[in-house]
Amino acid sequence: NEKGGHFVTDAELLDLLRRDRTAGMEALLARYRPLLRYVIGGILAECGDGEDCLSEVCLALWQKLDRFDPARGSLSTWLTAVARNTALNHLKAHRRREAHTAEAAGEPVSPDTPEQMLLRQERAERLKAALNGLRDRDRQLFYRRYYYLQPLSQIAAEMGMTERAAEGRLYRLRQRLRQELGGDDP
């Protein structure tokens, strides 16, 4: 985005959002809509709810903008997380509707105990620390595959490698992480 002959920085965007929420959201979406669509599209490819999800992301951004803390990360990282989480919620709802429609048989799943939730949180923190120890390219590959749920063919094409090379590297990364995390599956 150019405004007045220069590129609008995230700080300028945030300032505009504080002064004029409507104009700020328009500027934010003009700049980041392609990124949001990219994240959403990779997760919702199977169900085609991308535009509905993008609308929900825009509403969430409008409502949660005050929660953004620049000290914790970049604006694009925060926007990506909001888009990812919203898309995953859409995907879960889509799968629940499909399962309900198909009248899937089986026992209802019992909610996690507090101990299980604590263990899952500790494990997630250990995984995050291990991922931060990876080289940037390996971390990007891992996140794109397992966090953003992108197809291997897309990742390989966009990262300039063959699918087989991407698959091999992911296998080695999983093995390394498994070893670092004490045999747990990442």
Side-chain angles (χ1 to χ4, degrees):
N1 278 12
E2 287 197 20
K3 186 171 185 167
H6 77 282
F7 187 77
V8 177
T9 66
D10 285 348
E12 291 169 329
L13 245 178
L14 291 169
D15 185 51
L16 178 59
L17 281 160
R18 283 185 207 96
R19 287 184 284 113
D20 183 347
R21 191 102 168 191
T22 303
M25 279 300 290
E26 287 175 12
L28 182 134
L29 291 174
R31 179 171 180 182
Y32 286 110
R33 184 178 282 124
L35 173 66
L36 298 174
R37 278 197 170 121
Y38 181 78
V39 170
I40 292 166
I43 294 170
L44 296 180
E46 75 181 53
C47 61
D49 288 344
E51 287 305 311
D52 289 342
C53 184
L54 181 61
S55 296
E56 200 172 311
V57 167
C58 292
L59 178 62
L61 294 174
W62 181 270
Q63 294 170 338
K64 297 177 181 181
L65 199 56
D66 296 333
R67 295 183 194 167
F68 171 67
D69 180 3
R72 295 188 67 200
S74 70
L75 180 61
S76 64
T77 300
W78 183 75
L79 294 171
T80 301
V82 171
R84 175 193 180 270
N85 293 338
T86 304
L88 287 173
N89 289 339
H90 261 262
L91 183 60
K92 288 176 191 172
H94 174 78
R95 289 179 176 165
R96 274 194 305 269
R97 285 190 304 270
E98 282 184 341
H100 182 70
T101 302
E103 295 180 356
E107 294 293 315
V109 176
S110 60
D112 287 342
T113 65
E115 292 84 10
Q116 289 170 321
M117 290 174 19
L118 181 61
L119 287 172
R120 185 180 7 267
Q121 182 181 358
E122 288 173 355
R123 188 170 158 190
E125 289 170 6
R126 287 189 355 249
L127 176 59
K128 185 177 179 182
L131 288 172
N132 285 336
L134 296 176
R135 291 186 321 210
D136 188 49
R137 187 168 168 84
D138 288 341
R139 186 173 44 254
Q140 181 183 16
L141 177 66
F142 190 89
Y143 273 110
R144 289 182 72 168
R145 182 68 177 144
Y146 301 115
Y147 187 78
Y148 297 117
L149 307 177
Q150 294 178 341
L152 198 57
S153 57
Q154 176 185 354
I155 296 167
E158 291 176 1
M159 292 186 76
M161 56 178 47
T162 66
E163 281 186 55
R164 186 173 171 98
E167 192 174 316
R169 181 171 274 173
L170 283 167
Y171 174 79
R172 289 187 298 279
L173 287 172
R174 285 191 313 269
Q175 296 303 316
R176 176 180 169 186
L177 291 170
R178 187 172 288 125
Q179 185 177 19
E180 285 183 30
L181 297 173
D184 294 339
D185 284 331

PDB file of all heavy atoms in Angstrom, residues 2 6 8 20 24 46 63 78 80 83 92 94 107 116 118 136 145 158 161 169 171 184 186:
ATOM      1  N   GLU A   2       0.526   2.147  -0.845  1.00  0.00           N
ATOM      2  CA  GLU A   2       1.231   3.413  -0.842  1.00  0.00           C
ATOM      3  C   GLU A   2       0.259   4.496  -0.446  1.00  0.00           C
ATOM      4  O   GLU A   2      -0.883   4.518  -0.862  1.00  0.00           O
ATOM      5  CB  GLU A   2       1.824   3.700  -2.224  1.00  0.00           C
ATOM      6  CG  GLU A   2       3.015   2.821  -2.505  1.00  0.00           C
ATOM      7  CD  GLU A   2       3.861   3.346  -3.640  1.00  0.00           C
ATOM      8  OE1 GLU A   2       3.770   4.531  -3.954  1.00  0.00           O
ATOM      9  OE2 GLU A   2       4.603   2.557  -4.203  1.00  0.00           O
ATOM     10  N   HIS A   6       4.562   6.898  -0.096  1.00  0.00           N
ATOM     11  CA  HIS A   6       5.416   5.965   0.631  1.00  0.00           C
ATOM     12  C   HIS A   6       4.605   4.762   1.105  1.00  0.00           C
ATOM     13  O   HIS A   6       3.387   4.802   1.184  1.00  0.00           O
ATOM     14  CB  HIS A   6       6.109   6.667   1.808  1.00  0.00           C
ATOM     15  CG  HIS A   6       5.228   6.897   3.001  1.00  0.00           C
ATOM     16  ND1 HIS A   6       4.305   7.915   3.040  1.00  0.00           N
ATOM     17  CD2 HIS A   6       5.135   6.234   4.170  1.00  0.00           C
ATOM     18  CE1 HIS A   6       3.672   7.871   4.195  1.00  0.00           C
ATOM     19  NE2 HIS A   6       4.145   6.851   4.906  1.00  0.00           N
ATOM     20  N   VAL A   8       2.919   2.285   3.532  1.00  0.00           N
ATOM     21  CA  VAL A   8       2.317   2.414   4.858  1.00  0.00           C
ATOM     22  C   VAL A   8       2.863   1.302   5.755  1.00  0.00           C
ATOM     23  O   VAL A   8       2.741   0.120   5.438  1.00  0.00           O
ATOM     24  CB  VAL A   8       0.775   2.320   4.777  1.00  0.00           C
ATOM     25  CG1 VAL A   8       0.163   2.393   6.174  1.00  0.00           C
ATOM     26  CG2 VAL A   8       0.211   3.407   3.893  1.00  0.00           C
ATOM     27  N   ASP A  20      -9.179   6.315  13.301  1.00  0.00           N
ATOM     28  CA  ASP A  20     -10.385   6.142  12.467  1.00  0.00           C
ATOM     29  C   ASP A  20     -10.516   4.655  12.146  1.00  0.00           C
ATOM     30  O   ASP A  20      -9.931   4.159  11.194  1.00  0.00           O
ATOM     31  CB  ASP A  20     -10.251   6.979  11.195  1.00  0.00           C
ATOM     32  CG  ASP A  20     -11.485   6.910  10.296  1.00  0.00           C
ATOM     33  OD1 ASP A  20     -12.349   6.032  10.505  1.00  0.00           O
ATOM     34  OD2 ASP A  20     -11.569   7.722   9.356  1.00  0.00           O
ATOM     35  N   GLY A  24      -9.071   2.709   8.954  1.00  0.00           N
ATOM     36  CA  GLY A  24      -7.970   1.817   9.307  1.00  0.00           C
ATOM     37  C   GLY A  24      -8.227   0.384   8.871  1.00  0.00           C
ATOM     38  O   GLY A  24      -7.336  -0.281   8.354  1.00  0.00           O
ATOM     39  N   GLU A  46     -11.055 -27.962   1.182  1.00  0.00           N
ATOM     40  CA  GLU A  46     -11.987 -29.073   1.001  1.00  0.00           C
ATOM     41  C   GLU A  46     -13.451 -28.683   1.124  1.00  0.00           C
ATOM     42  O   GLU A  46     -14.316 -29.372   0.626  1.00  0.00           O
ATOM     43  CB  GLU A  46     -11.678 -30.193   1.995  1.00  0.00           C
ATOM     44  CG  GLU A  46     -12.111 -29.914   3.415  1.00  0.00           C
ATOM     45  CD  GLU A  46     -11.772 -31.024   4.385  1.00  0.00           C
ATOM     46  OE1 GLU A  46     -10.609 -31.436   4.441  1.00  0.00           O
ATOM     47  OE2 GLU A  46     -12.688 -31.475   5.071  1.00  0.00           O
ATOM     48  N   GLN A  63     -13.386  -6.710  16.198  1.00  0.00           N
ATOM     49  CA  GLN A  63     -13.693  -6.870  17.618  1.00  0.00           C
ATOM     50  C   GLN A  63     -12.454  -7.045  18.483  1.00  0.00           C
ATOM     51  O   GLN A  63     -12.450  -6.641  19.650  1.00  0.00           O
ATOM     52  CB  GLN A  63     -14.618  -8.075  17.826  1.00  0.00           C
ATOM     53  CG  GLN A  63     -15.982  -7.884  17.219  1.00  0.00           C
ATOM     54  CD  GLN A  63     -16.811  -9.153  17.218  1.00  0.00           C
ATOM     55  OE1 GLN A  63     -16.287 -10.257  17.292  1.00  0.00           O
ATOM     56  NE2 GLN A  63     -18.124  -8.995  17.121  1.00  0.00           N
ATOM     57  N   TRP A  78       0.019 -11.818  13.869  1.00  0.00           N
ATOM     58  CA  TRP A  78      -1.235 -11.817  14.616  1.00  0.00           C
ATOM     59  C   TRP A  78      -2.427 -12.027  13.680  1.00  0.00           C
ATOM     60  O   TRP A  78      -3.324 -12.821  13.967  1.00  0.00           O
ATOM     61  CB  TRP A  78      -1.365 -10.500  15.389  1.00  0.00           C
ATOM     62  CG  TRP A  78      -2.596 -10.443  16.242  1.00  0.00           C
ATOM     63  CD1 TRP A  78      -2.815 -11.094  17.421  1.00  0.00           C
ATOM     64  CD2 TRP A  78      -3.778  -9.696  15.973  1.00  0.00           C
ATOM     65  NE1 TRP A  78      -4.067 -10.782  17.896  1.00  0.00           N
ATOM     66  CE2 TRP A  78      -4.680  -9.930  17.028  1.00  0.00           C
ATOM     67  CE3 TRP A  78      -4.167  -8.842  14.937  1.00  0.00           C
ATOM     68  CZ2 TRP A  78      -5.941  -9.347  17.089  1.00  0.00           C
ATOM     69  CZ3 TRP A  78      -5.420  -8.264  14.998  1.00  0.00           C
ATOM     70  CH2 TRP A  78      -6.285  -8.511  16.055  1.00  0.00           C
ATOM     71  N   THR A  80      -2.421 -13.492  10.788  1.00  0.00           N
ATOM     72  CA  THR A  80      -2.356 -14.874  10.308  1.00  0.00           C
ATOM     73  C   THR A  80      -2.929 -15.828  11.348  1.00  0.00           C
ATOM     74  O   THR A  80      -3.662 -16.753  11.007  1.00  0.00           O
ATOM     75  CB  THR A  80      -0.892 -15.243   9.984  1.00  0.00           C
ATOM     76  OG1 THR A  80      -0.407 -14.337   8.983  1.00  0.00           O
ATOM     77  CG2 THR A  80      -0.773 -16.646   9.470  1.00  0.00           C
ATOM     78  N   ALA A  83      -6.708 -15.501  11.366  1.00  0.00           N
ATOM     79  CA  ALA A  83      -7.263 -16.152  10.172  1.00  0.00           C
ATOM     80  C   ALA A  83      -7.189 -17.673  10.291  1.00  0.00           C
ATOM     81  O   ALA A  83      -8.146 -18.380   9.972  1.00  0.00           O
ATOM     82  CB  ALA A  83      -6.529 -15.677   8.916  1.00  0.00           C
ATOM     83  N   LYS A  92     -13.752 -27.354  11.472  1.00  0.00           N
ATOM     84  CA  LYS A  92     -14.334 -28.240  12.496  1.00  0.00           C
ATOM     85  C   LYS A  92     -15.855 -28.259  12.387  1.00  0.00           C
ATOM     86  O   LYS A  92     -16.478 -29.319  12.462  1.00  0.00           O
ATOM     87  CB  LYS A  92     -13.916 -27.798  13.898  1.00  0.00           C
ATOM     88  CG  LYS A  92     -12.475 -28.081  14.225  1.00  0.00           C
ATOM     89  CD  LYS A  92     -12.132 -27.515  15.592  1.00  0.00           C
ATOM     90  CE  LYS A  92     -10.639 -27.538  15.835  1.00  0.00           C
ATOM     91  NZ  LYS A  92     -10.260 -26.833  17.062  1.00  0.00           N
ATOM     92  N   HIS A  94     -17.645 -27.591   9.771  1.00  0.00           N
ATOM     93  CA  HIS A  94     -17.981 -28.286   8.521  1.00  0.00           C
ATOM     94  C   HIS A  94     -17.925 -29.799   8.719  1.00  0.00           C
ATOM     95  O   HIS A  94     -18.835 -30.519   8.303  1.00  0.00           O
ATOM     96  CB  HIS A  94     -17.017 -27.846   7.416  1.00  0.00           C
ATOM     97  CG  HIS A  94     -17.182 -28.584   6.134  1.00  0.00           C
ATOM     98  ND1 HIS A  94     -18.196 -28.302   5.255  1.00  0.00           N
ATOM     99  CD2 HIS A  94     -16.477 -29.613   5.588  1.00  0.00           C
ATOM    100  CE1 HIS A  94     -18.106 -29.117   4.218  1.00  0.00           C
ATOM    101  NE2 HIS A  94     -17.074 -29.918   4.400  1.00  0.00           N
ATOM    102  N   GLU A 107     -19.431 -43.508  20.585  1.00  0.00           N
ATOM    103  CA  GLU A 107     -19.600 -42.877  21.884  1.00  0.00           C
ATOM    104  C   GLU A 107     -19.158 -41.416  21.811  1.00  0.00           C
ATOM    105  O   GLU A 107     -18.197 -41.094  21.135  1.00  0.00           O
ATOM    106  CB  GLU A 107     -18.738 -43.590  22.931  1.00  0.00           C
ATOM    107  CG  GLU A 107     -19.178 -45.005  23.212  1.00  0.00           C
ATOM    108  CD  GLU A 107     -20.537 -45.066  23.890  1.00  0.00           C
ATOM    109  OE1 GLU A 107     -20.780 -44.284  24.837  1.00  0.00           O
ATOM    110  OE2 GLU A 107     -21.371 -45.885  23.452  1.00  0.00           O
ATOM    111  N   GLN A 116      -4.949 -33.414  31.748  1.00  0.00           N
ATOM    112  CA  GLN A 116      -4.691 -33.618  30.325  1.00  0.00           C
ATOM    113  C   GLN A 116      -4.484 -32.285  29.609  1.00  0.00           C
ATOM    114  O   GLN A 116      -3.621 -32.167  28.745  1.00  0.00           O
ATOM    115  CB  GLN A 116      -5.854 -34.382  29.684  1.00  0.00           C
ATOM    116  CG  GLN A 116      -5.937 -35.828  30.103  1.00  0.00           C
ATOM    117  CD  GLN A 116      -7.228 -36.478  29.646  1.00  0.00           C
ATOM    118  OE1 GLN A 116      -8.295 -35.872  29.670  1.00  0.00           O
ATOM    119  NE2 GLN A 116      -7.111 -37.735  29.223  1.00  0.00           N
ATOM    120  N   LEU A 118      -3.312 -29.512  30.970  1.00  0.00           N
ATOM    121  CA  LEU A 118      -2.007 -29.000  31.382  1.00  0.00           C
ATOM    122  C   LEU A 118      -0.878 -29.715  30.638  1.00  0.00           C
ATOM    123  O   LEU A 118       0.065 -29.078  30.157  1.00  0.00           O
ATOM    124  CB  LEU A 118      -1.822 -29.149  32.892  1.00  0.00           C
ATOM    125  CG  LEU A 118      -0.500 -28.629  33.454  1.00  0.00           C
ATOM    126  CD1 LEU A 118      -0.358 -27.134  33.186  1.00  0.00           C
ATOM    127  CD2 LEU A 118      -0.417 -28.912  34.943  1.00  0.00           C
ATOM    128  N   ASP A 136      15.409 -21.237   9.718  1.00  0.00           N
ATOM    129  CA  ASP A 136      14.216 -20.531   9.252  1.00  0.00           C
ATOM    130  C   ASP A 136      13.463 -21.316   8.171  1.00  0.00           C
ATOM    131  O   ASP A 136      12.250 -21.448   8.231  1.00  0.00           O
ATOM    132  CB  ASP A 136      14.609 -19.141   8.735  1.00  0.00           C
ATOM    133  CG  ASP A 136      13.394 -18.290   8.417  1.00  0.00           C
ATOM    134  OD1 ASP A 136      12.493 -18.208   9.272  1.00  0.00           O
ATOM    135  OD2 ASP A 136      13.338 -17.729   7.307  1.00  0.00           O
ATOM    136  N   ARG A 145       3.137 -26.858   6.587  1.00  0.00           N
ATOM    137  CA  ARG A 145       2.507 -28.176   6.460  1.00  0.00           C
ATOM    138  C   ARG A 145       1.584 -28.495   7.636  1.00  0.00           C
ATOM    139  O   ARG A 145       0.461 -28.953   7.436  1.00  0.00           O
ATOM    140  CB  ARG A 145       3.589 -29.260   6.326  1.00  0.00           C
ATOM    141  CG  ARG A 145       3.020 -30.645   6.149  1.00  0.00           C
ATOM    142  CD  ARG A 145       2.340 -30.787   4.810  1.00  0.00           C
ATOM    143  NE  ARG A 145       1.851 -32.140   4.630  1.00  0.00           N
ATOM    144  CZ  ARG A 145       0.730 -32.430   4.017  1.00  0.00           C
ATOM    145  NH1 ARG A 145       0.004 -31.476   3.476  1.00  0.00           N
ATOM    146  NH2 ARG A 145       0.344 -33.668   3.904  1.00  0.00           N
ATOM    147  N   GLU A 158       6.113 -23.559  -4.019  1.00  0.00           N
ATOM    148  CA  GLU A 158       6.392 -22.206  -3.561  1.00  0.00           C
ATOM    149  C   GLU A 158       7.747 -22.076  -2.881  1.00  0.00           C
ATOM    150  O   GLU A 158       8.293 -20.988  -2.793  1.00  0.00           O
ATOM    151  CB  GLU A 158       5.270 -21.728  -2.631  1.00  0.00           C
ATOM    152  CG  GLU A 158       3.964 -21.520  -3.383  1.00  0.00           C
ATOM    153  CD  GLU A 158       2.800 -21.130  -2.487  1.00  0.00           C
ATOM    154  OE1 GLU A 158       2.988 -20.996  -1.261  1.00  0.00           O
ATOM    155  OE2 GLU A 158       1.695 -20.964  -3.022  1.00  0.00           O
ATOM    156  N   MET A 161      11.232 -26.600  -4.322  1.00  0.00           N
ATOM    157  CA  MET A 161      11.767 -27.950  -4.126  1.00  0.00           C
ATOM    158  C   MET A 161      10.773 -28.954  -4.690  1.00  0.00           C
ATOM    159  O   MET A 161       9.632 -28.612  -4.987  1.00  0.00           O
ATOM    160  CB  MET A 161      12.039 -28.226  -2.639  1.00  0.00           C
ATOM    161  CG  MET A 161      10.842 -28.044  -1.723  1.00  0.00           C
ATOM    162  SD  MET A 161      11.074 -28.420   0.038  1.00  0.00           S
ATOM    163  CE  MET A 161      12.562 -27.637   0.467  1.00  0.00           C
ATOM    164  N   ARG A 169      12.372 -33.927   3.855  1.00  0.00           N
ATOM    165  CA  ARG A 169      12.788 -32.955   4.869  1.00  0.00           C
ATOM    166  C   ARG A 169      11.803 -32.943   6.038  1.00  0.00           C
ATOM    167  O   ARG A 169      12.208 -32.878   7.196  1.00  0.00           O
ATOM    168  CB  ARG A 169      12.902 -31.569   4.246  1.00  0.00           C
ATOM    169  CG  ARG A 169      13.362 -30.531   5.260  1.00  0.00           C
ATOM    170  CD  ARG A 169      13.682 -29.229   4.632  1.00  0.00           C
ATOM    171  NE  ARG A 169      15.067 -29.277   4.189  1.00  0.00           N
ATOM    172  CZ  ARG A 169      15.652 -28.341   3.467  1.00  0.00           C
ATOM    173  NH1 ARG A 169      14.977 -27.280   3.100  1.00  0.00           N
ATOM    174  NH2 ARG A 169      16.906 -28.450   3.113  1.00  0.00           N
ATOM    175  N   TYR A 171       9.986 -35.435   7.030  1.00  0.00           N
ATOM    176  CA  TYR A 171      10.207 -36.679   7.775  1.00  0.00           C
ATOM    177  C   TYR A 171      11.383 -36.509   8.747  1.00  0.00           C
ATOM    178  O   TYR A 171      11.287 -36.856   9.925  1.00  0.00           O
ATOM    179  CB  TYR A 171      10.470 -37.832   6.806  1.00  0.00           C
ATOM    180  CG  TYR A 171      10.837 -39.116   7.504  1.00  0.00           C
ATOM    181  CD1 TYR A 171       9.858 -39.918   8.084  1.00  0.00           C
ATOM    182  CD2 TYR A 171      12.169 -39.511   7.606  1.00  0.00           C
ATOM    183  CE1 TYR A 171      10.190 -41.084   8.750  1.00  0.00           C
ATOM    184  CE2 TYR A 171      12.520 -40.682   8.266  1.00  0.00           C
ATOM    185  CZ  TYR A 171      11.525 -41.457   8.838  1.00  0.00           C
ATOM    186  OH  TYR A 171      11.866 -42.617   9.492  1.00  0.00           O
ATOM    187  N   ASP A 184       7.958 -38.173  22.094  1.00  0.00           N
ATOM    188  CA  ASP A 184       6.558 -37.795  21.830  1.00  0.00           C
ATOM    189  C   ASP A 184       6.392 -37.452  20.370  1.00  0.00           C
ATOM    190  O   ASP A 184       7.288 -36.930  19.724  1.00  0.00           O
ATOM    191  CB  ASP A 184       6.171 -36.565  22.654  1.00  0.00           C
ATOM    192  CG  ASP A 184       6.160 -36.831  24.132  1.00  0.00           C
ATOM    193  OD1 ASP A 184       6.050 -38.007  24.539  1.00  0.00           O
ATOM    194  OD2 ASP A 184       6.262 -35.864  24.875  1.00  0.00           O
ATOM    195  N   PRO A 186       5.332 -35.010  17.625  1.00  0.00           N
ATOM    196  CA  PRO A 186       5.117 -33.562  17.585  1.00  0.00           C
ATOM    197  C   PRO A 186       3.738 -33.241  17.068  1.00  0.00           C
ATOM    198  O   PRO A 186       3.106 -33.988  16.436  1.00  0.00           O
ATOM    199  CB  PRO A 186       6.187 -33.054  16.630  1.00  0.00           C
ATOM    200  CG  PRO A 186       6.733 -34.218  15.913  1.00  0.00           C
ATOM    201  CD  PRO A 186       6.359 -35.433  16.700  1.00  0.00           C
TER     202      PRO A 186
END
